[in-house]
Amino acid sequence: MRAGQGWPDELPHAYSPPMIESPDLSRDTGPPVPAPEAGAPESIAATSLEKPAGRRYHPSPEDWRAEIFYSIVTDRFQATEPIAAEGDLADGTSRHGGDLRGLTSRLGYIRDLGATTVQLSPVALNGSGAYHGYAPRHFMAVDPRLGTLAELRRTVDTAHRLGLRVVLDLVLNHAGPVFDYADGSNAWKGTREAADVAANGIAILPLELASPRHFSRRGVIDDWDDTDQETQGDFPPDYRRLATENPRTRELLQYIACWWIKETDIDGVRLDAIRHMDRTFIRDLSSAVKDYARSLGKTNFAVIGEHASSDNTLIASCFESGVSAMYNYGEYRRQNRALHGRGPARLLEHSFENAAKAFGGDHGSTVRFIDNHDVYRFLRDGEPLERLRVALAFLLFSLGIPMLYYGTERGFRQASGSLDPENLADPADPGNREDMFPEGKFVSASSSGDGFDRSSPVFGWTRRLIEIRRRYAALRFGEQEVVFSDPSGPGNYAFVRRHGEGSALVVLNTADRARRLDLSAGVEPGGPLVDVLDPSAPAQVGGPGDGPLSMTVPPFGVSVLVQDPGHRKLRPEAK
């Protein structure tokens, strides 16, 4: 069996234009790029997707909505000796030496925080300068500067033993700078016909991909609002777009994705930049990956799409292609100002209603975040730490799958005060990718020292919120109804999560002063509401019988109100 159900019986042998049999990295500038580890396949034809005899794969979670993601940039997380660094370690654009062995040694920290799924940045072999992993050259080899395939397996196995899942970021939209254009220019060339490749060929592995037909060859995007460029152009500066509209290219990339599942036992994949991929490819890839994972015993393998658009409708349409979850960029963009206290709390309600209408029943399967490796850190220099506390509660208690970004649970900050989308004049990276490990040199006042200090007040607060989310099913699976939002400025935002007979009322104050909250709510007789974040507080608000709920919410206050056992139903009736 070469590739499992639905695959061609034979895959072609390596395409052989006037090129080398393994990548020619001479066009790279900067430090030399290491060769792939011994045994890494140069050709798909030399591999198989047949399940190894006797191997048992880790089962899938029953419901991904119960998970809490923790996203890392491996190069910045934890380095081990000898450190595989390149360039100035205090320079955010250089490689700092974080690796898979270091990550494995810190998985206990992630477990202790309460996160349940580790999302790894790409691990495939990249060229020089691509510490982030988004410029692959060898699609079936672990970058030796991160480790070996055996060490990646060990990372996944250790995570599973600790009760953690692992999602691997796969870059299938584009390769790194694996060829030059014959005309010597990277400029956008239009869509009339594909451009020629320079005579020095295509430096990519596996060799089946080393054909011009597997690349769009239209030049680099210079106008992101141009649909043709968005869907056919190379990424700046010279990341070559794979021709995912080509059926043969689709087959090869589907095989590569399944190979990583077989070899590593991962629980899901993140598909980078799917807004730039052919929709038929996304559909075929999702189907092939899920079917193959199912043959290994992974019955709920996750395919998570990243579509960095503010348009909820466009993001929601990707669910039609069979993905399991989608990054919720639309809500992130719309909620940011309110969470930073620079807009009315009513913006949070409007954002939720907009997304609920667009996503429908898929809303709970969107991945929520307040920051990630492509956007600014949530907390900015000069902002009170309490603002992050409110944002974390908003993230962990709202409808959707929450994703934490490494360092946010430690209060890492960003210097930029802009709440507009990141841009070339004020980029998010590398300032949002500081070193987590104590020996790191690329740090600021907020990230220096031991990033894994469990005594950090934000770490403790985050862990407490996660414990509450885990305790109440309504906060994981419940439908959401907004019952109040301050229309005039920063202030109270309240919503109810309901699941079965259970419910919880979440109250957040985005203002730096106390706010009064008055709700007309139906409360089951004899069931005072208790704030589970502070059971000793006079938050035994409400009381026997039906009636309005009134409370004073302190500055940057957070309350999670539930009824005593036996009085589980909370029924808000009006705003």
Side-chain angles (χ1 to χ4, degrees):
M1 176 178 174
R2 182 175 295 278
Q5 297 179 347
W7 290 91
D9 292 334
E10 295 294 332
L11 288 168
H13 292 288
Y15 172 83
S16 299
M19 60 169 286
I20 50 177
E21 295 184 356
S22 58
D24 175 10
L25 302 173
S26 60
R27 64 173 63 101
D28 265 351
T29 59
V33 177
E37 68 173 304
E42 291 194 352
S43 170
I44 286 176
T47 67
S48 166
L49 292 184
E50 185 173 4
K51 181 180 178 181
R55 181 169 183 182
R56 297 183 63 183
Y57 285 82
H58 196 69
S60 301
E62 182 177 340
D63 192 331
W64 283 95
R65 293 177 302 166
E67 302 296 307
I68 298 173
F69 280 50
Y70 186 88
S71 175
I72 69 166
V73 177
T74 305
D75 179 64
R76 305 296 160 89
F77 199 62
Q78 177 63 62
T80 58
E81 298 290 345
I83 296 177
E86 297 174 348
D88 182 357
L89 296 186
D91 181 349
T93 64
S94 64
R95 185 177 291 273
H96 296 175
D99 57 18
L100 292 167
R101 286 188 295 133
L103 167 61
T104 303
S105 73
R106 296 297 191 178
L107 289 174
Y109 167 87
I110 299 174
R111 176 204 58 194
D112 292 349
L113 177 65
T116 61
T117 296
V118 182
Q119 182 170 289
L120 296 180
S121 55
V123 300
L125 177 59
N126 276 235
S128 64
Y131 70 89
H132 42 67
Y134 290 97
R137 287 181 173 275
H138 192 328
F139 282 72
M140 299 178 77
V142 174
D143 195 309
R145 292 161 294 194
L146 297 178
T148 64
L149 181 59
E151 287 170 340
L152 177 58
R153 290 172 179 151
R154 192 172 304 119
T155 297
V156 177
D157 289 346
T158 303
H160 287 161
R161 287 197 299 272
L162 292 173
L164 300 170
R165 315 280 180 186
V166 178
V167 168
L168 179 62
D169 195 338
L170 279 185
V171 182
L172 300 178
N173 173 72
H174 56 268
V178 296
F179 66 80
D180 298 320
Y181 284 105
D183 65 4
S185 170
N186 282 322
W188 172 249
K189 304 174 189 306
T191 59
R192 293 192 62 181
E193 61 181 68
D196 292 331
V197 172
N200 58 350
I202 301 176
I204 193 171
L205 290 175
L207 288 165
E208 285 83 357
L209 286 174
S211 166
R213 67 177 174 147
H214 294 310
F215 294 87
S216 301
R217 294 175 287 133
R218 309 290 181 178
V220 174
I221 298 170
D222 62 25
D223 181 358
W224 294 93
D225 294 324
D226 182 327
T227 301
D228 288 336
Q229 294 192 45
E230 180 187 48
T231 57
Q232 298 185 55
D234 300 340
F235 268 31
D238 49 12
Y239 294 177
R240 306 309 186 196
R241 182 185 181 274
L242 289 155
T244 52
E245 62 278 0
N246 180 345
R248 190 66 190 130
T249 309
R250 291 202 292 263
E251 289 178 359
L252 297 174
L253 295 177
Q254 290 165 31
Y255 185 98
I256 289 168
C258 292
W259 180 86
W260 283 104
I261 301 171
K262 175 212 169 189
E263 293 296 327
T264 66
D265 196 17
I266 52 176
D267 304 287
V269 292
R270 173 192 184 269
L271 300 180
D272 181 62
I274 69 170
R275 69 184 291 184
H276 307 285
M277 295 178 181
D278 181 81
R279 280 298 180 93
T280 302
F281 170 61
I282 301 171
R283 182 198 65 202
D284 292 351
L285 176 67
S286 297
S287 176
V289 162
K290 290 180 180 181
D291 286 349
Y292 179 70
R294 193 174 296 111
S295 75
L296 302 180
K298 294 178 176 289
T299 58
N300 192 22
F301 189 86
V303 178
I304 302 164
E306 185 253 0
H307 191 306
S309 169
S310 297
D311 189 328
N312 286 328
T313 302
L314 283 177
I315 300 171
S317 69
C318 294
F319 281 100
E320 300 171 4
S321 300
V323 298
S324 313
M326 286 295 301
Y327 270 47
N328 197 336
Y329 263 96
E331 286 199 84
Y332 162 75
R333 299 288 187 200
R334 291 180 178 86
Q335 294 163 351
N336 210 21
R337 291 187 181 278
L339 291 175
H340 282 275
R342 300 195 208 173
R346 181 61 54 86
L347 291 176
L348 301 175
E349 179 176 0
H350 288 168
S351 174
F352 174 79
E353 290 176 344
N354 182 297
K357 182 178 179 180
F359 288 108
D362 293 321
H363 197 183
S365 295
T366 59
V367 177
R368 305 182 61 87
F369 54 91
I370 57 173
D371 48 16
N372 65 38
H373 71 277
D374 282 328
V375 303
Y376 302 118
R377 288 276 182 188
F378 176 83
L379 195 61
R380 310 306 173 87
D381 286 353
E383 286 188 318
L385 195 62
E386 289 80 6
R387 193 164 294 289
L388 175 60
R389 288 165 57 94
V390 175
L392 285 166
F394 175 82
L395 170 67
L396 288 162
F397 296 150
S398 296
L399 181 69
I401 304 168
M403 183 181 71
L404 296 163
Y405 181 46
Y406 85 96
T408 296
E409 81 284 0
R410 286 277 286 108
F412 283 16
R413 296 174 180 264
Q414 188 132 16
S416 173
S418 173
L419 298 183
D420 293 326
E422 52 287 343
N423 55 78
L424 292 177
D426 188 12
D429 68 272
N432 61 349
R433 303 174 185 176
E434 292 181 303
D435 294 335
M436 187 82 163
F437 51 99
E439 304 82 10
K441 305 299 182 184
F442 181 57
V443 295
S444 64
S446 66
S447 60
S448 61
D450 182 4
F452 301 98
D453 180 8
R454 290 168 172 80
S455 67
S456 157
V458 184
F459 180 94
W461 173 252
T462 306
R463 178 164 59 185
R464 191 174 172 202
L465 297 177
I466 291 174
E467 289 172 352
I468 289 172
R469 185 177 187 270
R470 183 176 295 135
R471 191 186 313 167
Y472 296 98
L475 295 175
R476 302 191 306 277
F477 308 117
E479 296 299 316
Q480 180 168 322
E481 178 189 359
V482 178
V483 295
F484 181 81
S485 61
D486 195 319
S488 59
N492 290 325
Y493 176 64
F495 58 90
V496 177
R497 300 288 306 276
R498 299 187 189 86
H499 180 70
E501 293 297 306
S503 59
L505 171 63
V506 179
V507 179
L508 311 171
N509 183 3
T510 65
D512 59 3
R513 63 189 66 184
R515 288 284 192 266
R516 188 72 180 167
L517 178 65
D518 296 297
L519 293 178
S520 176
V523 181
E524 290 296 304
L529 295 178
V530 178
D531 185 353
V532 295
L533 272 170
D534 189 2
S536 65
Q540 283 83 358
V541 293
D546 292 341
L549 181 152
S550 297
M551 60 186 294
T552 298
V553 188
F556 302 117
V558 177
S559 293
V560 180
L561 304 171
V562 300
Q563 290 174 327
D564 288 339
H567 303 281
R568 304 287 293 177
K569 288 186 180 180
L570 181 69
R571 298 179 288 119
E573 296 172 345
K575 298 180 184 179

